[in-house]
Amino acid sequence: MEKITSLAKRRGFVYQSSEIYGGQNGAWDYGPLGVELKNRIAGAWWKEMTRLHDNIVGLDAAILMHPRTWEASGHVENFTDPLVDCKKCKSRFRADQIPQENLAAKKCPDCGGELTDTRKFNLMFKTHIGPAEDTASIIYLRPETAQGIYVNYKNIIQSNRMKIPFGIAQIGKAFRNEIVTKNFIFRTCEFEQMEMQYFVKPGTDEEWFAEWRKQRWAYYEKLGIKMDHLRWHQHGPDELAHYAKDAYDIEYLFPMGWRELEGVHNRTDYDLGRHTQFSGKDLQYIDQDNNNERYIPFIIETSAGLTRNLLMIFCDAYDEELVTPDKNSGSSEGTSSGTASSSDDWRTVLRFHPDLAPVTVAILPLMKKDGLAELAQDIRAELKEDYATDYDQSGAIGRRYRRQDEAGTPFCVTVDYQSKEDGTVTLRFRDSMEQVRVPKAELSARIRQEIKAYKRIK
Ligand code: ATP
């Protein structure tokens, strides 16, 4: 994880929040490459969950919600973690994440000191709205995006004439006062979620639950994720949330081990039932195609962390590769000097799917002089309309390729003297490092074709 964190910082993917003040725990800033990557992951999810489904629509609800929402949802009462402190070294732990024998003996797993009793700690950030800081002004930062969907479910049925089954998708910030925030951006206090809530007729819920598990699994396959690094984990009776009938997590093999990436939950009619009770509004669905039959829909939820997905995609794409002289033969790659190759030339490469890579094409003139830079700039101006581009004219060409490999750029276009003569350029592929000559007029279409046909080779 150290290598990932340091590459992420060095190349402007993720920085520590407020670093000049010593950093803010649980918060991270996404730099120029990071924000692009995050937007693309969000875009891929949004396309998958809305555009590819005729019956799923989007929503962007406010972070601040009426405080009754969180009473109805059960968060005020139940959204707690068990907390213990060490009296000696002052370390703080989640009681469910330390060895049971330490907990029973009240012995700190770090220093052996005495642990406090376990106490419940609510994870919601609480603040005040308006000038008076009294109990009437308490407001929470939402700990999940789902509730914004539930409270709008009737609005969406009415405004968009939705018929069950249908879904509502949302991407947005969520906040949790997490006790332990290690492992880079894995668990943070401020993060983003991508959630889709699917409203179904009671009795059809198990069928839809199975269907959504299938679809979410296929989604990661489509993104070219290493499928042997993903697995299902079904919640046992002791893990199942009080509202859930069944729940599965998709887990990913992160550098620190298998951890939850996304949850698929059968939430029953709990949420809409509770909001009916707390708001006094009738949230039943009226089935006009079926003699106005009324019922509270069941909800199948797919809930993924966007920032956690980014970490997963980063870890999954990360590779270090020995660049053998053979691989470089005939090309101008090789050692950082850009001349001869040596067998101990390593490259770090991020093998992002081209749909997710922050930069799709980098344009590199072999030399700044003799009009090559101008030609390269012209090519960039054309490609800009279709792709996220970068331009780099400084340093040896081999070193420039390595810089793009580290940023995960799938295609480099090199403009050389031959380009001036015959209008062709070199298209270089990140994964194989192979190069082909392409007429510059065909470049955009060729890249489009390569993206469509992309298959991860390693
Ligand atoms: P955990 O048990 O790890 O605290 P959870 O089961 O409470 O997580 P959910 O409430 O199901 O998580 O949230 C859905 C998704 O949101 C998770 O699968 C994860 O990807 C993401 N997520 C939850 N909490 C955080 C966090 N603190 N930081 C980053 N992502 C998070």
Side-chain angles (χ1 to χ4, degrees):
M1 189 62 96
E2 226 161 79
K3 281 183 178 173
I4 303 267
T5 313
S6 98
L7 177 63
K9 179 178 177 191
R10 188 158 51 77
R11 294 311 312 265
F13 283 93
V14 183
Y15 313 116
Q16 200 182 10
S17 160
S18 326
E19 196 180 354
I20 62 165
Y21 290 105
Q24 175 55 52
N25 244 347
W28 298 85
D29 298 339
Y30 292 81
L33 290 182
V35 65
E36 291 289 344
L37 179 61
K38 185 149 69 70
N39 286 343
R40 273 153 202 270
I41 296 170
W45 184 91
W46 192 256
K47 175 182 170 190
E48 177 74 23
M49 301 305 275
T50 65
R51 259 170 56 195
L52 298 186
H53 293 274
D54 300 340
N55 63 345
I56 303 183
V57 291
L59 175 75
D60 185 12
I63 288 171
L64 300 178
M65 299 182 70
H66 194 289
R68 289 280 281 169
T69 310
W70 307 109
E71 289 172 35
S73 68
H75 282 81
V76 170
E77 198 184 337
N78 296 317
F79 198 53
T80 55
D81 272 347
L83 172 74
V84 287
D85 288 303
C86 173
K87 291 182 183 169
K88 193 167 155 206
C89 70
K90 308 288 175 214
S91 293
R92 180 159 282 182
F93 305 97
R94 256 172 68 171
D96 56 344
Q97 288 182 349
I98 59 171
Q100 281 310 296
E101 52 273 24
N102 285 71
L103 198 61
K106 289 199 163 181
K107 195 170 160 200
C108 173
D110 283 358
C111 77
E114 194 193 341
L115 292 176
T116 60
D117 287 337
T118 305
R119 56 191 193 282
K120 278 186 168 182
F121 170 75
N122 196 298
L123 295 181
M124 279 199 294
F125 280 103
K126 203 192 248 186
T127 184
H128 294 273
I129 193 157
E133 292 202 1
D134 53 22
T135 46
S137 69
I138 286 176
I139 195 150
Y140 300 96
L141 297 185
R142 69 178 177 200
E144 62 176 29
T145 57
Q147 300 301 325
I149 294 181
Y150 305 147
V151 301
N152 276 297
Y153 130 95
K154 266 266 148 120
N155 281 338
I156 289 179
I157 287 184
Q158 279 152 11
S159 62
N160 294 61
R161 294 182 293 139
M162 304 305 287
K163 286 189 173 172
I164 273 181
F166 73 92
I168 304 175
Q170 174 167 228
I171 300 177
K173 290 239 174 185
F175 302 84
R176 296 182 187 181
N177 199 355
E178 298 280 1
I179 301 166
V180 183
T181 56
K182 55 185 181 199
N183 295 321
F184 193 29
I185 56 171
F186 178 79
R187 183 183 302 286
T188 51
C189 293
E190 177 178 346
F191 57 101
E192 282 174 72
Q193 288 187 313
M194 309 184 285
E195 296 196 304
M196 193 283 296
Q197 312 290 328
Y198 203 70
F199 298 82
V200 305
K201 186 170 181 178
T204 65
D205 52 303
E206 288 179 17
E207 207 177 294
W208 282 113
F209 183 63
E211 173 60 24
W212 278 109
R213 282 181 49 213
K214 201 166 88 194
Q215 294 218 16
R216 293 309 300 153
W217 188 261
Y219 171 73
Y220 290 111
E221 203 159 20
K222 198 156 126 183
L223 288 186
I225 304 304
K226 293 177 189 148
M227 295 312 279
D228 59 350
H229 279 50
L230 288 175
R231 71 175 187 194
W232 285 106
H233 165 74
Q234 184 177 19
H235 286 206
D238 52 328
E239 292 170 276
L240 215 52
H242 54 283
Y243 50 75
K245 180 168 161 188
D246 203 355
Y248 279 80
D249 293 336
I250 297 179
E251 294 185 338
Y252 181 78
L253 185 55
F254 286 96
M256 65 282 186
W258 289 99
R259 295 284 191 286
E260 175 179 339
L261 174 68
E262 158 161 6
V264 183
H265 309 131
N266 181 345
R267 301 184 62 118
T268 69
D269 57 1
Y270 175 83
D271 304 285
L272 294 179
R274 292 278 288 192
H275 284 303
T276 302
Q277 192 187 329
F278 279 71
S279 69
K281 299 283 183 317
D282 181 3
L283 298 179
Q284 289 182 99
Y285 176 74
I286 304 166
D287 188 349
Q288 289 169 343
D289 299 332
N290 220 342
N291 295 327
N292 289 338
E293 188 190 351
R294 288 166 177 259
Y295 56 85
I296 300 257
F298 269 41
I299 293 173
I300 308 300
E301 165 182 76
T302 72
S303 174
L306 168 54
T307 42
R308 196 173 285 182
N309 250 262
L310 188 146
L311 179 63
M312 179 278 284
I313 281 164
F314 207 101
C315 294
D316 200 71
Y318 186 91
D319 194 15
E320 287 171 12
E321 185 179 44
L322 187 63
V323 183
T324 58
D326 269 345
K327 263 195 172 159
N328 282 331
S329 61
S331 83
S332 46
E333 286 195 42
T335 58
S336 50
S337 68
T339 51
S341 303
S342 80
S343 57
D344 57 357
D345 183 18
W346 284 84
R347 69 169 184 154
T348 299
V349 53
L350 291 174
R351 301 182 190 277
F352 294 134
H353 190 289
D355 283 337
L356 301 182
V359 175
T360 316
V361 201
I363 296 97
L364 320 170
L366 194 61
M367 299 282 172
K368 277 180 252 182
K369 54 182 188 185
D370 302 328
L372 294 188
E374 289 76 7
L375 185 54
Q377 287 286 15
D378 288 347
I379 293 174
R380 185 189 191 186
E382 269 174 44
L383 291 178
K384 244 184 207 176
E385 287 288 339
D386 299 329
Y387 304 102
T389 60
D390 189 14
Y391 176 85
D392 186 3
Q393 61 175 24
S394 55
I397 192 73
R399 194 175 300 155
R400 280 185 269 163
Y401 285 145
R402 293 292 176 274
R403 276 206 290 265
Q404 295 300 332
D405 289 343
E406 267 191 352
T409 307
F411 308 105
C412 286
V413 169
T414 312
V415 178
D416 56 16
Y417 288 101
Q418 193 184 332
S419 312
K420 274 177 58 172
E421 280 161 27
D422 66 5
T424 64
V425 292
T426 300
L427 181 61
R428 182 253 192 196
F429 302 96
R430 174 198 66 202
D431 291 354
S432 63
M433 296 191 294
E434 279 168 17
Q435 305 185 1
V436 290
R437 282 210 84 92
V438 179
K440 71 179 166 51
E442 291 168 21
L443 206 47
S444 183
R446 175 68 187 265
I447 292 169
R448 174 81 49 229
Q449 192 188 330
E450 293 290 341
I451 294 175
K452 272 223 156 227
Y454 180 78
K455 285 263 172 316
R456 184 164 168 171
I457 54 170
K458 224 178 140 193

